Amino acid sequence: MTQARARVVPDTMQAIGMSGPGGPEVLRLEEIAVPEPGPHDVLIRVAFAGVNRPDCIQRAGHYPAPPGASPVLGLEVSGEVVAAGAEVPGEMIGQQVAALTPGGGYGEFCTAPWRHCLPLEGALDPKTAAALPETLFTVWHNVFERGFAKNGERLLVHGGTSGIGTMAIMLARAFDIEVIVTCGDEAKCEAARDLGANLAINYREADFVEAVKDHTGGKGVDIVLDMVSGDYVPRNLQCLAEDGRHVTIAVLGGAKAELFMPLVMMRRLTLTGSTLRPRSDAFKAALADEIAKHAWPLFTGGELAPVMDETFPLAEAAKAHARMEAGEHIGKIVLEVAGG
Protein backbone atom coordinates (compact mmCIF):
# COMPACT_ATOMS: atom_id res chain seq x y z
CA MET A 1 0.00 0.00 0.00
CA THR A 2 1.26 3.53 -0.76
CA GLN A 3 -0.06 5.52 2.20
CA ALA A 4 2.59 7.52 4.05
CA ARG A 5 2.29 5.76 7.41
CA ALA A 6 0.73 2.40 8.20
CA ARG A 7 0.65 -0.58 10.48
CA VAL A 8 0.65 -4.02 8.89
CA VAL A 9 -2.41 -4.16 6.65
CA PRO A 10 -3.44 -7.11 4.44
CA ASP A 11 -4.12 -6.76 0.75
CA THR A 12 -7.63 -8.24 0.88
CA MET A 13 -10.55 -8.25 3.29
CA GLN A 14 -14.05 -9.59 3.87
CA ALA A 15 -16.85 -7.19 2.96
CA ILE A 16 -20.53 -7.29 2.11
CA GLY A 17 -21.22 -7.16 -1.62
CA MET A 18 -24.40 -7.45 -3.65
CA SER A 19 -25.45 -9.82 -6.41
CA GLY A 20 -27.48 -6.93 -7.82
CA PRO A 21 -30.13 -4.49 -6.66
CA GLY A 22 -32.97 -6.06 -4.73
CA GLY A 23 -34.10 -7.19 -1.29
CA PRO A 24 -31.92 -8.08 1.67
CA GLU A 25 -31.21 -11.49 0.14
CA VAL A 26 -28.87 -9.93 -2.47
CA LEU A 27 -26.31 -9.15 0.25
CA ARG A 28 -23.41 -11.59 0.50
CA LEU A 29 -19.94 -11.83 2.00
CA GLU A 30 -17.14 -11.35 -0.52
CA GLU A 31 -13.36 -11.01 -0.53
CA ILE A 32 -12.22 -7.70 -2.02
CA ALA A 33 -9.16 -5.48 -2.00
CA VAL A 34 -8.49 -3.37 1.08
CA PRO A 35 -9.21 0.26 0.10
CA GLU A 36 -6.33 2.70 -0.33
CA PRO A 37 -6.61 5.91 1.72
CA GLY A 38 -6.19 9.19 -0.12
CA PRO A 39 -3.90 11.98 1.09
CA HIS A 40 -6.48 13.30 3.58
CA ASP A 41 -7.93 9.91 4.56
CA VAL A 42 -7.40 7.37 7.30
CA LEU A 43 -7.81 3.62 6.96
CA ILE A 44 -9.85 2.16 9.82
CA ARG A 45 -9.82 -1.46 10.95
CA VAL A 46 -13.56 -1.68 11.53
CA ALA A 47 -14.87 -2.94 14.87
CA PHE A 48 -18.57 -2.17 14.31
CA ALA A 49 -20.58 -0.60 11.49
CA GLY A 50 -23.93 1.16 11.84
CA VAL A 51 -26.88 0.14 9.68
CA ASN A 52 -29.00 2.99 8.31
CA ARG A 53 -32.05 3.42 6.11
CA PRO A 54 -29.96 4.85 3.21
CA ASP A 55 -28.06 1.54 3.14
CA CYS A 56 -31.33 -0.27 2.41
CA ILE A 57 -32.27 2.26 -0.25
CA GLN A 58 -28.85 1.91 -1.91
CA ARG A 59 -29.14 -1.89 -1.80
CA ALA A 60 -32.50 -1.63 -3.58
CA GLY A 61 -30.85 0.36 -6.37
CA HIS A 62 -32.28 3.81 -5.62
CA TYR A 63 -29.41 5.60 -3.86
CA PRO A 64 -26.11 5.16 -5.71
CA ALA A 65 -22.85 6.03 -4.01
CA PRO A 66 -21.55 9.49 -4.91
CA PRO A 67 -18.61 9.74 -7.36
CA GLY A 68 -15.40 8.44 -5.82
CA ALA A 69 -17.09 6.72 -2.87
CA SER A 70 -16.84 3.01 -2.18
CA PRO A 71 -19.71 0.99 -3.66
CA VAL A 72 -19.72 -1.07 -0.44
CA LEU A 73 -22.57 -0.14 1.89
CA GLY A 74 -22.02 1.52 5.26
CA LEU A 75 -22.00 5.18 6.30
CA GLU A 76 -20.58 4.97 9.84
CA VAL A 77 -18.01 2.84 11.64
CA SER A 78 -15.92 2.57 14.75
CA GLY A 79 -12.45 1.08 14.98
CA GLU A 80 -8.72 1.67 15.01
CA VAL A 81 -6.85 3.89 12.56
CA VAL A 82 -4.19 1.63 11.01
CA ALA A 83 -3.01 3.75 8.09
CA ALA A 84 -3.07 7.38 7.04
CA GLY A 85 -2.53 9.48 3.96
CA ALA A 86 0.35 11.90 3.61
CA GLU A 87 -1.66 14.95 4.73
CA VAL A 88 -3.04 13.34 7.91
CA PRO A 89 -1.50 14.15 11.32
CA GLY A 90 0.75 11.27 12.34
CA GLU A 91 -0.83 10.95 15.77
CA MET A 92 -3.99 9.57 14.13
CA ILE A 93 -2.29 6.18 13.71
CA GLY A 94 -3.42 3.90 16.51
CA GLN A 95 -6.34 6.08 17.58
CA GLN A 96 -9.74 4.55 18.29
CA VAL A 97 -12.36 6.58 16.43
CA ALA A 98 -15.93 6.76 15.24
CA ALA A 99 -16.22 8.03 11.69
CA LEU A 100 -18.76 9.27 9.19
CA THR A 101 -17.86 7.57 5.93
CA PRO A 102 -18.88 8.19 2.30
CA GLY A 103 -19.43 4.43 2.00
CA GLY A 104 -17.55 1.21 2.67
CA GLY A 105 -18.46 0.57 6.28
CA TYR A 106 -19.62 -3.03 5.76
CA GLY A 107 -16.09 -4.39 5.54
CA GLU A 108 -13.08 -5.23 7.67
CA PHE A 109 -11.34 -2.01 6.61
CA CYS A 110 -12.83 1.34 5.60
CA THR A 111 -11.45 4.72 4.58
CA ALA A 112 -12.77 8.05 5.81
CA PRO A 113 -11.53 11.65 5.71
CA TRP A 114 -9.58 12.14 8.93
CA ARG A 115 -11.52 15.27 9.80
CA HIS A 116 -14.75 13.24 9.78
CA CYS A 117 -13.49 11.16 12.72
CA LEU A 118 -14.34 11.66 16.38
CA PRO A 119 -12.33 10.08 19.22
CA LEU A 120 -13.52 7.13 21.29
CA GLU A 121 -12.98 8.15 24.87
CA GLY A 122 -14.72 8.32 28.21
CA ALA A 123 -18.04 6.47 28.32
CA LEU A 124 -18.00 5.43 24.66
CA ASP A 125 -17.31 1.84 23.62
CA PRO A 126 -16.85 0.74 19.98
CA LYS A 127 -20.35 -0.69 19.61
CA THR A 128 -22.24 2.38 20.79
CA ALA A 129 -19.82 4.70 19.02
CA ALA A 130 -20.56 3.04 15.67
CA ALA A 131 -24.24 3.89 16.17
CA LEU A 132 -23.62 7.62 16.43
CA PRO A 133 -22.07 9.43 13.43
CA GLU A 134 -24.79 9.20 10.76
CA THR A 135 -27.69 10.10 13.02
CA LEU A 136 -25.73 12.62 15.08
CA PHE A 137 -24.42 14.51 12.03
CA THR A 138 -27.87 14.41 10.42
CA VAL A 139 -29.85 15.58 13.44
CA TRP A 140 -27.35 18.22 14.50
CA HIS A 141 -27.28 19.80 11.06
CA ASN A 142 -30.99 19.64 10.33
CA VAL A 143 -32.45 20.48 13.73
CA PHE A 144 -29.89 22.94 15.05
CA GLU A 145 -28.29 24.43 11.93
CA ARG A 146 -31.04 24.32 9.30
CA GLY A 147 -33.93 24.31 11.80
CA PHE A 148 -32.36 26.95 14.09
CA ALA A 149 -33.62 25.14 17.20
CA LYS A 150 -33.44 27.17 20.39
CA ASN A 151 -33.99 26.51 24.07
CA GLY A 152 -37.66 26.49 24.98
CA GLU A 153 -38.95 25.64 21.50
CA ARG A 154 -40.99 22.62 20.41
CA LEU A 155 -39.93 19.95 17.92
CA LEU A 156 -42.10 17.36 16.11
CA VAL A 157 -40.30 14.24 14.87
CA HIS A 158 -41.83 11.43 12.84
CA GLY A 159 -40.48 7.94 13.42
CA GLY A 160 -39.72 8.58 17.06
CA THR A 161 -38.03 5.22 17.75
CA SER A 162 -35.86 5.12 14.62
CA GLY A 163 -32.17 5.89 14.88
CA ILE A 164 -32.85 9.47 13.77
CA GLY A 165 -35.87 9.76 16.05
CA THR A 166 -34.13 8.55 19.18
CA MET A 167 -31.16 10.81 18.50
CA ALA A 168 -33.47 13.79 17.97
CA ILE A 169 -35.24 13.13 21.28
CA MET A 170 -31.98 12.91 23.20
CA LEU A 171 -30.35 15.99 21.70
CA ALA A 172 -33.48 18.09 21.93
CA ARG A 173 -33.97 17.30 25.60
CA ALA A 174 -30.29 18.00 26.29
CA PHE A 175 -30.83 21.51 24.94
CA ASP A 176 -34.17 22.14 26.69
CA ILE A 177 -36.36 21.66 23.61
CA GLU A 178 -39.76 20.03 24.02
CA VAL A 179 -40.16 16.95 21.82
CA ILE A 180 -43.30 15.47 20.26
CA VAL A 181 -42.93 12.25 18.26
CA THR A 182 -45.11 9.94 16.22
CA CYS A 183 -44.79 6.15 16.40
CA GLY A 184 -46.61 3.16 14.93
CA ASP A 185 -47.71 1.36 18.10
CA GLU A 186 -48.06 1.85 21.83
CA ALA A 187 -44.88 -0.06 22.70
CA LYS A 188 -42.85 2.34 20.57
CA CYS A 189 -44.69 5.31 22.05
CA GLU A 190 -43.79 4.07 25.54
CA ALA A 191 -40.14 3.64 24.51
CA ALA A 192 -40.10 7.20 23.16
CA ARG A 193 -41.60 8.55 26.38
CA ASP A 194 -39.03 6.63 28.42
CA LEU A 195 -36.31 8.27 26.35
CA GLY A 196 -37.66 11.73 27.09
CA ALA A 197 -40.36 12.56 24.55
CA ASN A 198 -42.88 14.94 26.08
CA LEU A 199 -45.65 13.50 23.90
CA ALA A 200 -45.70 10.31 21.82
CA ILE A 201 -48.58 9.94 19.36
CA ASN A 202 -49.66 6.58 17.94
CA TYR A 203 -50.35 7.73 14.38
CA ARG A 204 -52.39 4.60 13.67
CA GLU A 205 -54.93 5.54 16.34
CA ALA A 206 -54.86 9.34 16.47
CA ASP A 207 -54.61 12.29 14.08
CA PHE A 208 -51.20 13.74 14.88
CA VAL A 209 -52.27 17.20 13.68
CA GLU A 210 -55.09 17.38 16.23
CA ALA A 211 -52.90 15.82 18.93
CA VAL A 212 -50.22 18.46 18.39
CA LYS A 213 -52.79 21.26 18.50
CA ASP A 214 -54.30 19.88 21.70
CA HIS A 215 -50.92 19.48 23.39
CA THR A 216 -49.71 22.96 22.46
CA GLY A 217 -52.96 24.81 23.10
CA GLY A 218 -53.28 25.55 19.40
CA LYS A 219 -49.85 27.20 19.14
CA GLY A 220 -48.14 24.39 17.26
CA VAL A 221 -44.47 23.41 17.12
CA ASP A 222 -41.52 25.51 16.02
CA ILE A 223 -39.80 22.77 13.97
CA VAL A 224 -40.86 19.61 12.16
CA LEU A 225 -38.15 17.07 11.34
CA ASP A 226 -39.76 15.18 8.47
CA MET A 227 -38.62 11.80 7.16
CA VAL A 228 -41.91 10.95 5.45
CA SER A 229 -42.69 13.79 3.01
CA GLY A 230 -45.49 13.04 0.52
CA ASP A 231 -48.94 13.70 1.97
CA TYR A 232 -47.44 14.29 5.41
CA VAL A 233 -46.09 17.69 4.35
CA PRO A 234 -49.39 19.63 4.27
CA ARG A 235 -50.33 18.02 7.59
CA ASN A 236 -46.95 18.94 9.04
CA LEU A 237 -47.47 22.56 8.02
CA GLN A 238 -50.74 22.60 9.95
CA CYS A 239 -48.70 21.65 13.04
CA LEU A 240 -46.28 24.56 12.72
CA ALA A 241 -46.45 27.69 14.81
CA GLU A 242 -45.92 31.11 13.27
CA ASP A 243 -42.38 31.43 11.86
CA GLY A 244 -42.10 27.62 12.05
CA ARG A 245 -39.49 25.64 10.16
CA HIS A 246 -40.14 22.41 8.22
CA VAL A 247 -37.00 20.35 7.56
CA THR A 248 -37.19 17.32 5.25
CA ILE A 249 -34.45 14.69 5.40
CA ALA A 250 -36.12 11.73 3.62
CA VAL A 251 -39.06 10.99 1.34
CA LEU A 252 -40.16 7.56 2.56
CA GLY A 253 -43.81 8.47 1.97
CA GLY A 254 -43.41 9.98 -1.49
CA ALA A 255 -41.37 12.59 -3.32
CA LYS A 256 -44.22 15.00 -4.11
CA ALA A 257 -46.45 17.10 -1.87
CA GLU A 258 -49.37 19.43 -2.53
CA LEU A 259 -49.19 22.64 -0.47
CA PHE A 260 -51.62 25.41 0.40
CA MET A 261 -49.25 28.31 -0.10
CA PRO A 262 -51.38 30.99 1.60
CA LEU A 263 -50.75 29.11 4.86
CA VAL A 264 -47.00 29.36 4.27
CA MET A 265 -47.35 33.09 3.63
CA MET A 266 -49.71 33.90 6.48
CA ARG A 267 -47.72 31.98 9.09
CA ARG A 268 -44.32 32.92 7.62
CA LEU A 269 -43.19 29.31 7.41
CA THR A 270 -39.81 28.13 6.17
CA LEU A 271 -39.50 24.92 4.16
CA THR A 272 -36.02 23.45 3.83
CA GLY A 273 -34.23 20.12 3.78
CA SER A 274 -30.94 18.45 3.08
CA THR A 275 -29.09 15.26 2.23
CA LEU A 276 -25.82 14.62 4.03
CA ARG A 277 -23.95 12.08 1.92
CA PRO A 278 -23.37 14.21 -1.22
CA ARG A 279 -22.11 17.24 0.73
CA SER A 280 -18.46 18.19 0.39
CA ASP A 281 -15.73 16.87 2.65
CA ALA A 282 -15.13 20.44 3.81
CA PHE A 283 -18.77 20.84 4.87
CA LYS A 284 -18.73 17.56 6.80
CA ALA A 285 -15.44 18.51 8.44
CA ALA A 286 -16.93 21.81 9.63
CA LEU A 287 -19.98 19.91 10.89
CA ALA A 288 -17.74 17.45 12.73
CA ASP A 289 -15.98 20.38 14.41
CA GLU A 290 -19.33 21.77 15.60
CA ILE A 291 -20.38 18.37 16.92
CA ALA A 292 -17.03 17.82 18.65
CA LYS A 293 -17.50 21.10 20.48
CA HIS A 294 -21.20 21.01 21.36
CA ALA A 295 -22.56 17.44 21.22
CA TRP A 296 -19.81 14.81 21.36
CA PRO A 297 -18.96 15.58 25.02
CA LEU A 298 -22.53 14.63 25.95
CA PHE A 299 -21.77 11.08 24.79
CA THR A 300 -18.16 10.75 25.94
CA GLY A 301 -19.20 12.12 29.32
CA GLY A 302 -22.00 9.59 29.68
CA GLU A 303 -24.86 12.11 29.79
CA LEU A 304 -26.31 10.64 26.59
CA ALA A 305 -26.04 7.19 24.99
CA PRO A 306 -27.51 5.93 21.72
CA VAL A 307 -30.51 3.62 21.91
CA MET A 308 -29.32 0.23 20.70
CA ASP A 309 -31.46 -2.39 18.98
CA GLU A 310 -29.88 -5.65 17.73
CA THR A 311 -26.30 -6.45 16.78
CA PHE A 312 -25.62 -8.84 13.87
CA PRO A 313 -22.35 -10.39 12.64
CA LEU A 314 -21.09 -8.84 9.42
CA ALA A 315 -21.97 -12.03 7.51
CA GLU A 316 -25.63 -11.58 8.57
CA ALA A 317 -26.05 -8.12 7.07
CA ALA A 318 -29.10 -9.40 5.19
CA LYS A 319 -30.83 -10.16 8.51
CA ALA A 320 -29.97 -6.67 9.75
CA HIS A 321 -31.54 -5.11 6.65
CA ALA A 322 -34.62 -7.30 6.97
CA ARG A 323 -35.09 -6.17 10.57
CA MET A 324 -34.77 -2.52 9.62
CA GLU A 325 -37.24 -2.82 6.78
CA ALA A 326 -39.73 -4.69 8.99
CA GLY A 327 -39.91 -1.52 11.09
CA GLU A 328 -39.81 -3.37 14.39
CA HIS A 329 -36.51 -1.99 15.66
CA ILE A 330 -36.15 0.59 18.40
CA GLY A 331 -32.91 2.54 18.09
CA LYS A 332 -29.82 1.58 16.13
CA ILE A 333 -28.94 -1.71 14.44
CA VAL A 334 -25.21 -2.41 14.12
CA LEU A 335 -22.97 -5.00 12.49
CA GLU A 336 -20.12 -6.55 14.45
CA VAL A 337 -17.09 -6.75 12.21
CA ALA A 338 -14.04 -7.22 14.44
CA GLY A 339 -15.66 -6.33 17.74
CA GLY A 340 -13.80 -4.28 20.31
Side-chain angles (χ1 to χ4, degrees), residues 135-152:
T135 55
L136 180 53
F137 278 59
T138 297
V139 172
W140 186 265
H141 175 57
N142 287 286
V143 173
F144 293 92
E145 295 184 345
R146 301 200 72 80
F148 300 102
K150 301 186 291 293
N151 292 5

Side-chain angles (χ1 to χ4, degrees), residues 109-152:
F109 294 87
C110 178
T111 61
W114 74 272
R115 292 190 62 197
H116 301 177
C117 297
L118 295 162
L120 265 65
E121 54 192 16
L124 280 177
D125 61 79
K127 183 190 290 188
T128 55
L132 287 172
E134 173 70 11
T135 55
L136 180 53
F137 278 59
T138 297
V139 172
W140 186 265
H141 175 57
N142 287 286
V143 173
F144 293 92
E145 295 184 345
R146 301 200 72 80
F148 300 102
K150 301 186 291 293
N151 292 5

Side-chain angles (χ1 to χ4, degrees), residues 16 25 45 49 63 87 117 130 149 167 170 191 204 219 222 233 272 289 315 323 333 340:
I16 295 297
E25 69 280 357
R45 188 189 303 274
Y63 189 46
E87 302 301 321
C117 297
M167 177 63 69
M170 288 189 295
R204 299 184 194 277
K219 293 181 179 179
D222 301 284
V233 177
T272 185
D289 289 343
R323 177 160 180 81
I333 299 168

